[in-house]
Amino acid sequence: MGNGPVQRPTLKDIAQKTGYSINTVSRALRNMPDIAVETRERIREVAREMGYHNNALASSLRLGRTNTIAVIIPDISNLFYAFALVEIERGAREQGYSTILLNTSESGAFEQNAIKTALQKNVDGIIFGPAQQSLDNTRMLMGSGTPFVQFARHFESVNADFCVGDDKLGGYQATAHLIEKGHRNILLLNGLAAHNSSARDRQAGYRAAHEAAGLPVQPDLVREVSILAGDVGQQLMGMLRQRPDITAVFAYSDLVALSAMAHLQQNGVRVPQDISIVGFDYIQSCINLPVPLTTVDIKIREMAAAALKCLLEKIAGPDSSKVVCQKFTRTELVPGATVQDIN
Amino acid sequence: MGNGPVQRPTLKDIAQKTGYSINTVSRALRNMPDIAVETRERIREVAREMGYHNNALASSLRLGRTNTIAVIIPDISNLFYAFALVEIERGAREQGYSTILLNTSESGAFEQNAIKTALQKNVDGIIFGPAQQSLDNTRMLMGSGTPFVQFARHFESVNADFCVGDDKLGGYQATAHLIEKGHRNILLLNGLAAHNSSARDRQAGYRAAHEAAGLPVQPDLVREVSILAGDVGQQLMGMLRQRPDITAVFAYSDLVALSAMAHLQQNGVRVPQDISIVGFDYIQSCINLPVPLTTVDIKIREMAAAALKCLLEKIAGPDSSKVVCQKFTRTELVPGATVQDIN
DNA sequence: TTGAAAGCGATACCAC
DNA sequence: GTGGTATCGCTTTCAA
């Protein structure tokens, strides 16, 4: 019979073993200056021997601070969010914070649970990539008193911090690029605009580019696909049958664009000879793909770093309800080899 | 002057407002049966009004359980780990656990800190994807009493739980496939084998396939690249200059393979006409890429699910030092379009 | 059915 | 320099 799981040693245990009080042990381990050097060394040595680790639960309870932030995002398997997370986690770690990840799968219900979990765990702050199924979750967050920053998407209707890309500009750049290359019938394979500020803004940019060029926006060329499920293929191939005059696709994201390309290829449609494609996000800034996708750089790292910086400022600041940062990272067109000049 | 950050309400606050004791409030909120229905409803209503959230710090401290697991992995921006994480996070959430993510960037030092953080936060268990810079960190984990499962890579020299792919089998399958298609000079673009059981085992498979076919292993055809940095290009192009008789590449991972393809393309080398490529991981099971890469399915989801299941069993079980699971997920060759038959 | 009090492990204030 | 003691917010005996 084993002697059961070994209990982790506590300050008390060290105190008993060394003969000092709990208080002294605590101060010694934290390198407080008012402890005799010998005492400190002795205590630290015993602590090491016993395999002592500070119990963050107890510390945090006492200190009212967990040195933990939560990252709540719609889909960690989306490279955009994955890369953002890397940046956030790294930056947070450097500042002494650990990161709790909560994935919402674009679901409002999961998101609500995620927020509750984060609040219950007393995180010091939250990087919040809203699924935007409803405003309620954001309101809950605002009412909680916990500092948070909206990331990648945001609600225009509330006054809160955000770091997002300039989606309208990006949508404009992508579309204008295609128009410039002679394309007139451009399919917008958008995300679900009803619930997604990025999708809405990119669409606004698409529209603006048409207007600037004196071209009509053709409503049937604006389609929405589920970003997650990847039902891109059917939508796309269906559209191309209906409107064989389509010569270009502006995709909501690089992932949608890549998925579209995969389906086109499977159906013998060549990119860019038959169809031109522009994506969004520039995930190739983080990963080497053998597909030189023309896309819009949304500055993933910059956006992530800005969001973290903003959050840490809010955490340090006296008033978490004060808006510190409402930032649009400036997008940039990245030419690749997926757009054909048909002029 | 604002009235400062609003303090989160506690049981005490609710007790004062309702006139009941802290105890009663606590029991009411947890739906304990020995509370009058009216009392319970009244209390729950007030709690809702006040925006009460259970303080998990205090609960956990008292209960000795955090309902949190840590995932410690080398690189979350690697799609293999990203997809695994999605699976783990989802499964954990379904079982009432939240997930702390700790990224080690393949660094032993970061890994040590990550483990300390996890232990200090009293996570109930750890999914541990070792960077394998040294065995020390794993030993620390074993000595901690906290249940953990090695994920994706593992140390053969210690008796602990793991869920990994059958890397040797996979390496064999990939290499045998190339040999079968007539390739004789196969470049292995491996990870750093000194510190990585996957790299070692895949190389062993590469070797075994050669032996089974009666072919010599050519030492200069085995090269190691940094998986992270992506110095794939230089290594690869250099090798091809040195050994123009190379007709195929077996890459450590799909990411390395994709990166290799990108560089080949930039240098006018065609895949598969000039060079055949086989990858590893089958990330296309999770993402739609317009590159039909021939690869080895390592069963990401299955592996992740198995690791989580194993961990939860250990958490529930009486003795966390008892080894519950040492699993190799069976790999499978996935034919794509990046291998040329040159027979 | 409800309340009082102990205790989880750590930190901070105040004596000595 | 060092040691008591209250406290963080919650759960759990044990009484009433």
Side-chain angles (χ1 to χ4, degrees), chain B residues 47-269:
Chain B
R48 206 172 310 121
E49 281 172 11
M50 300 178 73
Y52 174 81
H53 289 284
N54 180 316
N55 184 330
L57 248 39
S59 291
S60 296
L61 181 60
R62 183 63 232 255
L63 294 173
R65 182 168 38 78
T66 52
N67 283 323
T68 302
I69 64 168
V71 177
I72 302 180
I73 46 177
D75 179 18
I76 183 57
S77 73
N78 180 323
L79 281 171
F80 167 75
Y81 286 109
F83 290 128
L85 181 61
V86 170
E87 190 71 15
I88 292 168
E89 200 270 351
R90 192 182 54 66
R93 173 154 34 80
E94 283 172 3
Q95 303 294 321
Y97 286 86
S98 17
T99 301
I100 292 187
L101 168 70
L102 297 157
N103 205 51
T104 64
S105 304
E106 300 275 4
S107 145
F110 286 172
E111 187 174 83
Q112 188 179 19
N113 286 328
I115 293 173
K116 282 184 182 163
T117 300
L119 294 179
Q120 292 186 180
K121 290 200 182 290
N122 287 33
V123 296
D124 297 338
I126 301 177
I127 304 260
F128 179 44
Q132 295 197 309
Q133 296 304 102
S134 94
L135 192 53
D136 294 354
N137 292 341
T138 304
R139 285 207 191 289
M140 168 160 64
L141 221 36
M142 296 205 292
S144 74
T146 299
F148 74 100
V149 178
Q150 295 172 89
F151 179 73
R153 307 176 193 164
H154 75 297
F155 289 96
E156 298 90 341
S157 55
V158 299
N159 187 30
D161 298 75
F162 61 78
C163 291
V164 301
D166 192 336
D167 289 303
K168 182 166 179 193
L169 174 62
Y172 184 95
Q173 291 168 327
T175 312
H177 180 69
L178 287 169
I179 293 175
E180 191 192 315
K181 297 297 183 187
H183 298 274
R184 291 298 174 263
N185 301 312
I186 303 170
L187 174 63
L188 171 57
L189 270 185
N190 206 7
L192 300 174
H195 293 306
N196 179 326
S197 64
S198 299
R200 269 198 304 280
D201 292 347
R202 288 173 199 178
Q203 184 169 341
Y206 170 87
R207 181 178 300 274
H210 279 81
E211 284 165 4
L215 294 172
V217 172
Q218 307 172 56
D220 64 323
L221 289 188
V222 176
R223 286 299 159 113
E224 300 189 354
V225 296
S226 160
I227 317 173
L228 280 182
D231 62 347
V232 173
Q234 290 158 11
Q235 284 260 14
L236 176 58
M237 300 319 295
M239 271 308 290
L240 292 186
R241 263 189 300 276
Q242 276 177 45
R243 291 282 308 257
D245 57 338
I246 290 173
T247 60
V249 173
F250 168 30
Y252 171 76
S253 67
D254 286 352
L255 288 187
V256 170
L258 291 171
S259 181
M261 287 177 70
H263 283 98
L264 290 173
Q265 242 173 39
Q266 284 159 24
N267 287 273
V269 181

Side-chain angles (χ1 to χ4, degrees), chain A residues 142-280:
Chain A
M142 295 204 293
S144 74
T146 298
F148 74 100
V149 178
Q150 295 172 90
F151 179 73
R153 308 177 192 163
H154 76 297
F155 288 96
E156 299 90 342
S157 55
V158 299
N159 186 30
D161 298 77
F162 60 79
C163 290
V164 302
D166 192 336
D167 290 303
K168 181 164 180 192
L169 174 63
Y172 184 96
Q173 292 167 327
T175 312
H177 181 68
L178 286 169
I179 292 174
E180 190 191 317
K181 297 296 183 187
H183 297 275
R184 291 297 174 266
N185 300 312
I186 303 169
L187 174 62
L188 171 58
L189 270 185
N190 206 6
L192 300 173
H195 294 306
N196 179 325
S197 63
S198 298
R200 268 197 305 279
D201 292 346
R202 289 173 200 178
Q203 183 168 342
Y206 170 87
R207 180 178 301 273
H210 278 81
E211 284 166 5
L215 295 171
V217 172
Q218 307 173 56
D220 63 323
L221 289 188
V222 176
R223 286 298 159 115
E224 300 188 355
V225 296
S226 160
I227 318 173
L228 280 181
D231 63 348
V232 173
Q234 291 159 13
Q235 284 261 13
L236 176 58
M237 300 318 295
M239 272 308 290
L240 292 185
R241 265 190 301 276
Q242 276 178 43
R243 290 282 307 257
D245 57 338
I246 290 174
T247 60
V249 174
F250 168 31
Y252 171 76
S253 68
D254 286 352
L255 287 187
V256 170
L258 291 171
S259 181
M261 287 176 70
H263 283 100
L264 290 173
Q265 241 171 40
Q266 284 158 25
N267 287 274
V269 182
R270 294 165 305 164
V271 176
Q273 293 87 341
D274 302 325
I275 293 282
S276 292
I277 293 196
V278 178
F280 212 104

Side-chain angles (χ1 to χ4, degrees), chain B residues 13-20 24-25 28-29 31 35-50:
Chain B
D13 299 322
I14 301 179
Q16 271 163 3
K17 189 157 252 170
T18 58
Y20 289 101
T24 302
V25 173
L29 292 179
N31 285 318
I35 299 288
V37 183
E38 295 176 3
T39 310
R40 195 185 59 190
E41 290 314 314
R42 170 99 187 88
I43 289 175
R44 296 183 74 85
E45 197 192 314
V46 172
R48 206 172 310 121
E49 281 172 11
M50 300 178 73

